[in-house]
Amino acid sequence: MTSFAPIIYIYIFIQLQRLSSYYLEGAEWSHRKHMPSFSEQVALATMTTGTRPLAAGLMVGMSESMTTKQAYEWAVNSTDAIISCGKTGRFMNDIAGFKVYIYRLTN
């Protein structure tokens, strides 16, 4: 069995390209003054958290026996895990940002 480790860098690059396309979509919304619905905003914000590139990047440090193509595809395509991590991270970030905003308004 050949090592998947050198090829994983290509897959990380692909995930970063996908992340950039999500940021571009958000920029296009802003440029067009598009007001997304809550569900549209959550869907896009979940994808811009960087969970997929992080999952791909974590595999670089793993042993060669763990970095198989099947393991990589499972890590970045586990849609439920990716979405739940993304939503949790995004909502925690938004709540913390709101708390900072309120703190600055009151002090």
Side-chain angles (χ1 to χ4, degrees), residues 11-97:
Y11 286 101
I12 292 170
F13 183 72
I14 291 168
Q15 294 304 320
L16 289 172
Q17 284 180 326
R18 290 173 77 186
L19 181 62
S20 296
S21 71
Y22 298 133
Y23 279 118
L24 179 61
E25 185 177 347
E28 287 174 353
W29 283 357
S30 177
H31 179 71
R32 286 191 234 130
K33 297 181 179 21
H34 172 67
M35 189 63 137
S37 67
F38 182 75
S39 60
E40 287 177 323
Q41 181 63 33
V42 168
L44 184 63
T46 300
M47 300 315 287
T48 59
T49 59
T51 310
R52 280 192 172 99
L54 178 64
L58 287 172
M59 295 194 75
V60 172
M62 293 183 178
S63 68
E64 288 188 20
S65 63
M66 295 179 74
T67 54
T68 63
K69 186 172 183 173
Q70 294 83 9
Y72 168 80
E73 288 176 356
W74 177 85
V76 298
N77 293 323
S78 295
T79 309
D80 293 340
I82 297 291
I83 289 174
S84 64
C85 287
K87 283 183 180 180
T88 303
R90 178 58 66 186
F91 289 142
M92 288 175 64
N93 186 14
D94 290 348
I95 290 168

